[in-house]
Amino acid sequence: MEKVFSGIQPTGEIHIGNYVGAVRHWVKLTETYDCIFCVVDYHAITVEYPLEEMRKRVLETAIVLLACGLSPEKCKIFVQSHVQEHTELAWIFNCVTPIGDLERMTQFKDKSKQHRANINIGLMDYPVLQAADILIYKAGFVPVGEDQVQHVELCREVARKFNYRFGEHFPEPRVILSVAPRILGVDGTGKMSKTMQNYIGILEDEATMWEKVRTAVTDVNRVRRKDTGNPDICNIYTIHRAFSGDDVLDEAAKGCRSASIGCIDCKKMLFKNMWEELAPVQNRAKDLLANQDYVMDVLREGARSCSTIAKQTMQEVREALGLLI
Ligand code: AQP
């Protein structure tokens, strides 16, 4: 079975962009791939965060992964900092990665603007740690949203450089995109993101979620109810595509283009399907929240089993580097 690796940051509430762009897709992949999923806490410390929140966020992120349908019977789920070889391999990869490659990363440029007071080395080195996360398991596929494609390209580059210098040890992993690789925030401009507070959280209550959908920006050219709209440039329609079937999509698109329905009608159609899918996820999350010992057991077992693979890879890497073993 081909190996898959992906991660999610415990930087706040998991949103529908994470869900349709990544996690829901991961659940499907567990049917056909040997999958490893990770709560990447060391990535999350590259920006400021409330210290007292971190443990809770890590646990909640793991709970959401399980509630969305990831099963420890079908994949490994663990916390990045519980398998120390990730950071060890990242150091070695640092030594084959040109600084210029990291300075060019779009996410680094964006985050440097957002966090001017703390542009730390970790922020720039983020993709190298990500390359280590993936390659320590020799994963061939990385299911991510569109925002992470550039980082996976860099990971391929890191593998290539390492292999060229020290011998063929790592695959060059490929991205697998979901059906909804880029969901915009409720403002309809930037990518939906936990840290930008422009998201619809998948655990938000029905009224809050509806209020966010109701007020979310649609096609900005459709100003009045009688104006026709263009679903192709509407973020709500993109979200519709992730939650609704062909009939509803067809009805919404035709209604929008002809102005026979308004944006609120379209949003009501979307919300019905969205809530139908997310309500059971919320129920499972509530159960898991009340059963945190089980969640900790899953994470410990995931870390134990991933550590075994990671240790083997590090042994191979140390030999390849010519170190005294
Ligand atoms: N808007 C999105 N649409 C589709 N996929 C998305 N992903 C993230 N946002 C979208 C994918 O979700 C996985 C986990 O990513 P993350 O933990 O980095 O999520 P985030 O919400 O982007 O987190 P932050 O902390 O708010 O980070 P920044 O500030 O970088 O946006 C990934 O596969 C990601 O592609």
Side-chain angles (χ1 to χ4, degrees), residues 3 85 89 92-93 132 134-138 162 169-170 306-320:
K3 269 202 184 144
E85 285 76 10
L89 185 59
I92 290 157
F93 285 166
I134 298 164
L135 294 174
I136 196 119
Y137 303 108
K138 303 194 177 181
F162 183 98
H169 292 276
F170 293 110
C306 287
S307 281
T308 309
I309 310 171
K311 281 186 176 27
Q312 277 166 8
T313 305
M314 276 315 301
Q315 182 68 9
E316 183 185 331
V317 165
R318 283 189 213 101
E319 278 172 28

PDB file of all heavy atoms in Angstrom, residues 3 85 89 92-93 132 134-138 162 169-170 306-320:
ATOM      1  N   LYS A   3       2.059   5.018   0.814  1.00  0.00           N
ATOM      2  CA  LYS A   3       1.942   5.767   2.079  1.00  0.00           C
ATOM      3  C   LYS A   3       1.479   7.204   1.858  1.00  0.00           C
ATOM      4  O   LYS A   3       1.922   7.879   0.918  1.00  0.00           O
ATOM      5  CB  LYS A   3       3.294   5.799   2.772  1.00  0.00           C
ATOM      6  CG  LYS A   3       3.474   4.657   3.702  1.00  0.00           C
ATOM      7  CD  LYS A   3       4.532   4.980   4.733  1.00  0.00           C
ATOM      8  CE  LYS A   3       4.753   3.754   5.588  1.00  0.00           C
ATOM      9  NZ  LYS A   3       6.110   3.570   5.982  1.00  0.00           N
ATOM     10  N   GLU A  85      11.865  12.484  16.255  1.00  0.00           N
ATOM     11  CA  GLU A  85      12.705  12.357  15.062  1.00  0.00           C
ATOM     12  C   GLU A  85      12.320  13.365  13.978  1.00  0.00           C
ATOM     13  O   GLU A  85      13.117  13.668  13.093  1.00  0.00           O
ATOM     14  CB  GLU A  85      12.630  10.931  14.504  1.00  0.00           C
ATOM     15  CG  GLU A  85      13.403   9.893  15.299  1.00  0.00           C
ATOM     16  CD  GLU A  85      12.706   9.463  16.601  1.00  0.00           C
ATOM     17  OE1 GLU A  85      11.533   9.826  16.802  1.00  0.00           O
ATOM     18  OE2 GLU A  85      13.351   8.778  17.414  1.00  0.00           O
ATOM     19  N   LEU A  89      15.291  15.161  11.940  1.00  0.00           N
ATOM     20  CA  LEU A  89      15.463  15.088  10.479  1.00  0.00           C
ATOM     21  C   LEU A  89      15.399  16.491   9.866  1.00  0.00           C
ATOM     22  O   LEU A  89      16.094  16.779   8.884  1.00  0.00           O
ATOM     23  CB  LEU A  89      14.379  14.169   9.860  1.00  0.00           C
ATOM     24  CG  LEU A  89      14.515  13.909   8.362  1.00  0.00           C
ATOM     25  CD1 LEU A  89      15.864  13.261   8.014  1.00  0.00           C
ATOM     26  CD2 LEU A  89      13.379  13.006   7.856  1.00  0.00           C
ATOM     27  N   ILE A  92      18.761  18.034   9.696  1.00  0.00           N
ATOM     28  CA  ILE A  92      19.590  17.511   8.599  1.00  0.00           C
ATOM     29  C   ILE A  92      19.131  18.104   7.261  1.00  0.00           C
ATOM     30  O   ILE A  92      19.948  18.525   6.446  1.00  0.00           O
ATOM     31  CB  ILE A  92      19.542  15.965   8.617  1.00  0.00           C
ATOM     32  CG1 ILE A  92      20.313  15.490   9.856  1.00  0.00           C
ATOM     33  CG2 ILE A  92      20.126  15.351   7.356  1.00  0.00           C
ATOM     34  CD1 ILE A  92      19.937  14.134  10.343  1.00  0.00           C
ATOM     35  N   PHE A  93      17.822  18.200   7.089  1.00  0.00           N
ATOM     36  CA  PHE A  93      17.301  18.800   5.850  1.00  0.00           C
ATOM     37  C   PHE A  93      17.672  20.287   5.750  1.00  0.00           C
ATOM     38  O   PHE A  93      17.836  20.815   4.657  1.00  0.00           O
ATOM     39  CB  PHE A  93      15.784  18.619   5.766  1.00  0.00           C
ATOM     40  CG  PHE A  93      15.351  17.212   5.406  1.00  0.00           C
ATOM     41  CD1 PHE A  93      14.024  16.815   5.570  1.00  0.00           C
ATOM     42  CD2 PHE A  93      16.244  16.295   4.884  1.00  0.00           C
ATOM     43  CE1 PHE A  93      13.612  15.531   5.223  1.00  0.00           C
ATOM     44  CE2 PHE A  93      15.847  15.002   4.542  1.00  0.00           C
ATOM     45  CZ  PHE A  93      14.526  14.621   4.711  1.00  0.00           C
ATOM     46  N   ALA A 132      10.357  17.112   6.639  1.00  0.00           N
ATOM     47  CA  ALA A 132      10.773  16.034   7.555  1.00  0.00           C
ATOM     48  C   ALA A 132       9.556  15.226   8.018  1.00  0.00           C
ATOM     49  O   ALA A 132       9.617  13.990   8.096  1.00  0.00           O
ATOM     50  CB  ALA A 132      11.512  16.627   8.754  1.00  0.00           C
ATOM     51  N   ILE A 134       6.923  14.554   6.445  1.00  0.00           N
ATOM     52  CA  ILE A 134       6.458  13.682   5.349  1.00  0.00           C
ATOM     53  C   ILE A 134       7.484  12.571   5.072  1.00  0.00           C
ATOM     54  O   ILE A 134       7.150  11.392   4.981  1.00  0.00           O
ATOM     55  CB  ILE A 134       6.243  14.525   4.062  1.00  0.00           C
ATOM     56  CG1 ILE A 134       5.158  15.589   4.286  1.00  0.00           C
ATOM     57  CG2 ILE A 134       5.924  13.635   2.856  1.00  0.00           C
ATOM     58  CD1 ILE A 134       5.146  16.702   3.230  1.00  0.00           C
ATOM     59  N   LEU A 135       8.756  13.005   4.979  1.00  0.00           N
ATOM     60  CA  LEU A 135       9.778  12.066   4.486  1.00  0.00           C
ATOM     61  C   LEU A 135      10.259  11.083   5.554  1.00  0.00           C
ATOM     62  O   LEU A 135      10.762  10.009   5.222  1.00  0.00           O
ATOM     63  CB  LEU A 135      10.952  12.846   3.886  1.00  0.00           C
ATOM     64  CG  LEU A 135      10.575  13.628   2.615  1.00  0.00           C
ATOM     65  CD1 LEU A 135      11.742  14.491   2.146  1.00  0.00           C
ATOM     66  CD2 LEU A 135      10.128  12.689   1.495  1.00  0.00           C
ATOM     67  N   ILE A 136      10.067  11.425   6.812  1.00  0.00           N
ATOM     68  CA  ILE A 136      10.492  10.477   7.865  1.00  0.00           C
ATOM     69  C   ILE A 136       9.704   9.165   7.718  1.00  0.00           C
ATOM     70  O   ILE A 136      10.170   8.099   8.082  1.00  0.00           O
ATOM     71  CB  ILE A 136      10.361  11.089   9.288  1.00  0.00           C
ATOM     72  CG1 ILE A 136      11.165  10.263  10.288  1.00  0.00           C
ATOM     73  CG2 ILE A 136       8.923  11.187   9.778  1.00  0.00           C
ATOM     74  CD1 ILE A 136      12.241  10.980  10.960  1.00  0.00           C
ATOM     75  N   TYR A 137       8.508   9.269   7.112  1.00  0.00           N
ATOM     76  CA  TYR A 137       7.692   8.056   6.864  1.00  0.00           C
ATOM     77  C   TYR A 137       7.784   7.601   5.403  1.00  0.00           C
ATOM     78  O   TYR A 137       7.051   6.713   4.984  1.00  0.00           O
ATOM     79  CB  TYR A 137       6.223   8.319   7.269  1.00  0.00           C
ATOM     80  CG  TYR A 137       6.150   8.745   8.711  1.00  0.00           C
ATOM     81  CD1 TYR A 137       5.847  10.061   9.059  1.00  0.00           C
ATOM     82  CD2 TYR A 137       6.484   7.845   9.719  1.00  0.00           C
ATOM     83  CE1 TYR A 137       5.860  10.460  10.380  1.00  0.00           C
ATOM     84  CE2 TYR A 137       6.499   8.243  11.044  1.00  0.00           C
ATOM     85  CZ  TYR A 137       6.192   9.547  11.367  1.00  0.00           C
ATOM     86  OH  TYR A 137       6.223   9.947  12.680  1.00  0.00           O
ATOM     87  N   LYS A 138       8.612   8.309   4.607  1.00  0.00           N
ATOM     88  CA  LYS A 138       8.770   8.002   3.175  1.00  0.00           C
ATOM     89  C   LYS A 138       7.424   7.984   2.469  1.00  0.00           C
ATOM     90  O   LYS A 138       7.142   7.081   1.651  1.00  0.00           O
ATOM     91  CB  LYS A 138       9.532   6.691   2.984  1.00  0.00           C
ATOM     92  CG  LYS A 138      10.889   6.729   3.672  1.00  0.00           C
ATOM     93  CD  LYS A 138      11.795   5.608   3.244  1.00  0.00           C
ATOM     94  CE  LYS A 138      13.150   5.764   3.906  1.00  0.00           C
ATOM     95  NZ  LYS A 138      14.112   4.766   3.553  1.00  0.00           N
ATOM     96  N   PHE A 162      18.809  15.816  -1.000  1.00  0.00           N
ATOM     97  CA  PHE A 162      19.375  14.837  -0.057  1.00  0.00           C
ATOM     98  C   PHE A 162      19.847  13.608  -0.836  1.00  0.00           C
ATOM     99  O   PHE A 162      20.978  13.129  -0.646  1.00  0.00           O
ATOM    100  CB  PHE A 162      18.334  14.435   0.996  1.00  0.00           C
ATOM    101  CG  PHE A 162      18.884  13.489   2.031  1.00  0.00           C
ATOM    102  CD1 PHE A 162      19.321  13.967   3.263  1.00  0.00           C
ATOM    103  CD2 PHE A 162      18.999  12.121   1.770  1.00  0.00           C
ATOM    104  CE1 PHE A 162      19.858  13.093   4.215  1.00  0.00           C
ATOM    105  CE2 PHE A 162      19.543  11.260   2.702  1.00  0.00           C
ATOM    106  CZ  PHE A 162      19.970  11.738   3.927  1.00  0.00           C
ATOM    107  N   HIS A 169      17.462   7.775  -0.830  1.00  0.00           N
ATOM    108  CA  HIS A 169      16.793   7.317   0.396  1.00  0.00           C
ATOM    109  C   HIS A 169      15.329   7.731   0.497  1.00  0.00           C
ATOM    110  O   HIS A 169      14.555   7.102   1.196  1.00  0.00           O
ATOM    111  CB  HIS A 169      17.543   7.826   1.643  1.00  0.00           C
ATOM    112  CG  HIS A 169      18.887   7.212   1.803  1.00  0.00           C
ATOM    113  ND1 HIS A 169      19.094   5.991   2.404  1.00  0.00           N
ATOM    114  CD2 HIS A 169      20.110   7.626   1.375  1.00  0.00           C
ATOM    115  CE1 HIS A 169      20.374   5.683   2.364  1.00  0.00           C
ATOM    116  NE2 HIS A 169      21.020   6.664   1.745  1.00  0.00           N
ATOM    117  N   PHE A 170      14.978   8.840  -0.196  1.00  0.00           N
ATOM    118  CA  PHE A 170      13.624   9.354  -0.008  1.00  0.00           C
ATOM    119  C   PHE A 170      12.852   9.431  -1.328  1.00  0.00           C
ATOM    120  O   PHE A 170      13.434   9.731  -2.363  1.00  0.00           O
ATOM    121  CB  PHE A 170      13.675  10.761   0.613  1.00  0.00           C
ATOM    122  CG  PHE A 170      14.200  10.756   2.015  1.00  0.00           C
ATOM    123  CD1 PHE A 170      15.454  11.290   2.310  1.00  0.00           C
ATOM    124  CD2 PHE A 170      13.461  10.200   3.048  1.00  0.00           C
ATOM    125  CE1 PHE A 170      15.949  11.276   3.609  1.00  0.00           C
ATOM    126  CE2 PHE A 170      13.943  10.175   4.348  1.00  0.00           C
ATOM    127  CZ  PHE A 170      15.182  10.713   4.624  1.00  0.00           C
ATOM    128  N   CYS A 306       4.360   5.241  15.110  1.00  0.00           N
ATOM    129  CA  CYS A 306       5.104   6.115  14.192  1.00  0.00           C
ATOM    130  C   CYS A 306       6.567   6.244  14.617  1.00  0.00           C
ATOM    131  O   CYS A 306       7.458   6.349  13.772  1.00  0.00           O
ATOM    132  CB  CYS A 306       4.453   7.497  14.126  1.00  0.00           C
ATOM    133  SG  CYS A 306       2.918   7.467  13.194  1.00  0.00           S
ATOM    134  N   SER A 307       6.815   6.234  15.932  1.00  0.00           N
ATOM    135  CA  SER A 307       8.201   6.324  16.422  1.00  0.00           C
ATOM    136  C   SER A 307       9.055   5.181  15.875  1.00  0.00           C
ATOM    137  O   SER A 307      10.224   5.376  15.539  1.00  0.00           O
ATOM    138  CB  SER A 307       8.243   6.202  17.952  1.00  0.00           C
ATOM    139  OG  SER A 307       7.891   7.405  18.518  1.00  0.00           O
ATOM    140  N   THR A 308       8.466   3.999  15.799  1.00  0.00           N
ATOM    141  CA  THR A 308       9.221   2.840  15.305  1.00  0.00           C
ATOM    142  C   THR A 308       9.708   3.105  13.871  1.00  0.00           C
ATOM    143  O   THR A 308      10.882   2.897  13.557  1.00  0.00           O
ATOM    144  CB  THR A 308       8.308   1.583  15.334  1.00  0.00           C
ATOM    145  OG1 THR A 308       7.735   1.499  16.622  1.00  0.00           O
ATOM    146  CG2 THR A 308       9.072   0.324  15.010  1.00  0.00           C
ATOM    147  N   ILE A 309       8.805   3.604  13.032  1.00  0.00           N
ATOM    148  CA  ILE A 309       9.197   3.895  11.634  1.00  0.00           C
ATOM    149  C   ILE A 309      10.225   5.029  11.612  1.00  0.00           C
ATOM    150  O   ILE A 309      11.235   4.969  10.916  1.00  0.00           O
ATOM    151  CB  ILE A 309       7.966   4.323  10.786  1.00  0.00           C
ATOM    152  CG1 ILE A 309       6.808   3.347  10.957  1.00  0.00           C
ATOM    153  CG2 ILE A 309       8.353   4.496   9.319  1.00  0.00           C
ATOM    154  CD1 ILE A 309       5.499   3.815  10.329  1.00  0.00           C
ATOM    155  N   ALA A 310       9.946   6.082  12.398  1.00  0.00           N
ATOM    156  CA  ALA A 310      10.806   7.267  12.383  1.00  0.00           C
ATOM    157  C   ALA A 310      12.226   6.930  12.844  1.00  0.00           C
ATOM    158  O   ALA A 310      13.208   7.428  12.285  1.00  0.00           O
ATOM    159  CB  ALA A 310      10.194   8.352  13.266  1.00  0.00           C
ATOM    160  N   LYS A 311      12.326   6.066  13.840  1.00  0.00           N
ATOM    161  CA  LYS A 311      13.654   5.680  14.350  1.00  0.00           C
ATOM    162  C   LYS A 311      14.440   4.927  13.275  1.00  0.00           C
ATOM    163  O   LYS A 311      15.640   5.142  13.109  1.00  0.00           O
ATOM    164  CB  LYS A 311      13.510   4.812  15.608  1.00  0.00           C
ATOM    165  CG  LYS A 311      13.225   5.634  16.851  1.00  0.00           C
ATOM    166  CD  LYS A 311      13.251   4.747  18.087  1.00  0.00           C
ATOM    167  CE  LYS A 311      13.074   5.479  19.388  1.00  0.00           C
ATOM    168  NZ  LYS A 311      12.356   6.702  19.445  1.00  0.00           N
ATOM    169  N   GLN A 312      13.739   4.046  12.554  1.00  0.00           N
ATOM    170  CA  GLN A 312      14.405   3.297  11.471  1.00  0.00           C
ATOM    171  C   GLN A 312      14.945   4.255  10.412  1.00  0.00           C
ATOM    172  O   GLN A 312      16.076   4.135   9.949  1.00  0.00           O
ATOM    173  CB  GLN A 312      13.412   2.346  10.791  1.00  0.00           C
ATOM    174  CG  GLN A 312      13.237   1.028  11.520  1.00  0.00           C
ATOM    175  CD  GLN A 312      12.011   0.269  11.016  1.00  0.00           C
ATOM    176  OE1 GLN A 312      11.380   0.647  10.024  1.00  0.00           O
ATOM    177  NE2 GLN A 312      11.661  -0.795  11.709  1.00  0.00           N
ATOM    178  N   THR A 313      14.108   5.227  10.035  1.00  0.00           N
ATOM    179  CA  THR A 313      14.536   6.183   9.001  1.00  0.00           C
ATOM    180  C   THR A 313      15.758   6.966   9.489  1.00  0.00           C
ATOM    181  O   THR A 313      16.723   7.166   8.744  1.00  0.00           O
ATOM    182  CB  THR A 313      13.390   7.158   8.646  1.00  0.00           C
ATOM    183  OG1 THR A 313      12.257   6.404   8.276  1.00  0.00           O
ATOM    184  CG2 THR A 313      13.781   8.093   7.510  1.00  0.00           C
ATOM    185  N   MET A 314      15.726   7.395  10.756  1.00  0.00           N
ATOM    186  CA  MET A 314      16.857   8.182  11.273  1.00  0.00           C
ATOM    187  C   MET A 314      18.145   7.362  11.310  1.00  0.00           C
ATOM    188  O   MET A 314      19.226   7.887  11.046  1.00  0.00           O
ATOM    189  CB  MET A 314      16.535   8.722  12.674  1.00  0.00           C
ATOM    190  CG  MET A 314      15.739  10.002  12.676  1.00  0.00           C
ATOM    191  SD  MET A 314      16.306  11.260  11.514  1.00  0.00           S
ATOM    192  CE  MET A 314      17.985  11.524  12.054  1.00  0.00           C
ATOM    193  N   GLN A 315      18.013   6.103  11.622  1.00  0.00           N
ATOM    194  CA  GLN A 315      19.188   5.234  11.633  1.00  0.00           C
ATOM    195  C   GLN A 315      19.796   5.183  10.226  1.00  0.00           C
ATOM    196  O   GLN A 315      21.004   5.335  10.049  1.00  0.00           O
ATOM    197  CB  GLN A 315      18.760   3.824  12.109  1.00  0.00           C
ATOM    198  CG  GLN A 315      19.868   2.811  12.232  1.00  0.00           C
ATOM    199  CD  GLN A 315      20.838   3.142  13.361  1.00  0.00           C
ATOM    200  OE1 GLN A 315      20.589   4.042  14.168  1.00  0.00           O
ATOM    201  NE2 GLN A 315      21.975   2.462  13.383  1.00  0.00           N
ATOM    202  N   GLU A 316      18.934   4.993   9.251  1.00  0.00           N
ATOM    203  CA  GLU A 316      19.365   4.938   7.846  1.00  0.00           C
ATOM    204  C   GLU A 316      20.014   6.269   7.447  1.00  0.00           C
ATOM    205  O   GLU A 316      21.043   6.286   6.772  1.00  0.00           O
ATOM    206  CB  GLU A 316      18.110   4.652   6.995  1.00  0.00           C
ATOM    207  CG  GLU A 316      18.385   4.503   5.527  1.00  0.00           C
ATOM    208  CD  GLU A 316      17.073   4.354   4.725  1.00  0.00           C
ATOM    209  OE1 GLU A 316      16.075   3.832   5.265  1.00  0.00           O
ATOM    210  OE2 GLU A 316      17.063   4.788   3.554  1.00  0.00           O
ATOM    211  N   VAL A 317      19.410   7.378   7.895  1.00  0.00           N
ATOM    212  CA  VAL A 317      19.919   8.705   7.537  1.00  0.00           C
ATOM    213  C   VAL A 317      21.295   8.934   8.167  1.00  0.00           C
ATOM    214  O   VAL A 317      22.225   9.407   7.506  1.00  0.00           O
ATOM    215  CB  VAL A 317      18.911   9.806   7.975  1.00  0.00           C
ATOM    216  CG1 VAL A 317      19.536  11.190   7.958  1.00  0.00           C
ATOM    217  CG2 VAL A 317      17.676   9.776   7.090  1.00  0.00           C
ATOM    218  N   ARG A 318      21.438   8.573   9.442  1.00  0.00           N
ATOM    219  CA  ARG A 318      22.744   8.769  10.106  1.00  0.00           C
ATOM    220  C   ARG A 318      23.830   7.974   9.387  1.00  0.00           C
ATOM    221  O   ARG A 318      24.939   8.454   9.187  1.00  0.00           O
ATOM    222  CB  ARG A 318      22.664   8.347  11.575  1.00  0.00           C
ATOM    223  CG  ARG A 318      21.964   9.367  12.425  1.00  0.00           C
ATOM    224  CD  ARG A 318      22.078   9.035  13.914  1.00  0.00           C
ATOM    225  NE  ARG A 318      20.872   9.470  14.574  1.00  0.00           N
ATOM    226  CZ  ARG A 318      19.868   8.674  14.925  1.00  0.00           C
ATOM    227  NH1 ARG A 318      19.945   7.376  14.721  1.00  0.00           N
ATOM    228  NH2 ARG A 318      18.797   9.168  15.488  1.00  0.00           N
ATOM    229  N   GLU A 319      23.482   6.768   8.981  1.00  0.00           N
ATOM    230  CA  GLU A 319      24.466   5.960   8.229  1.00  0.00           C
ATOM    231  C   GLU A 319      24.812   6.641   6.916  1.00  0.00           C
ATOM    232  O   GLU A 319      25.973   6.741   6.539  1.00  0.00           O
ATOM    233  CB  GLU A 319      23.895   4.558   7.955  1.00  0.00           C
ATOM    234  CG  GLU A 319      24.063   3.620   9.137  1.00  0.00           C
ATOM    235  CD  GLU A 319      23.327   2.284   8.947  1.00  0.00           C
ATOM    236  OE1 GLU A 319      23.151   1.861   7.788  1.00  0.00           O
ATOM    237  OE2 GLU A 319      22.925   1.693   9.967  1.00  0.00           O
ATOM    238  N   ALA A 320      23.770   7.136   6.228  1.00  0.00           N
ATOM    239  CA  ALA A 320      23.991   7.790   4.931  1.00  0.00           C
ATOM    240  C   ALA A 320      24.875   9.030   5.073  1.00  0.00           C
ATOM    241  O   ALA A 320      25.658   9.362   4.182  1.00  0.00           O
ATOM    242  CB  ALA A 320      22.646   8.179   4.313  1.00  0.00           C
TER     243      ALA A 320
END
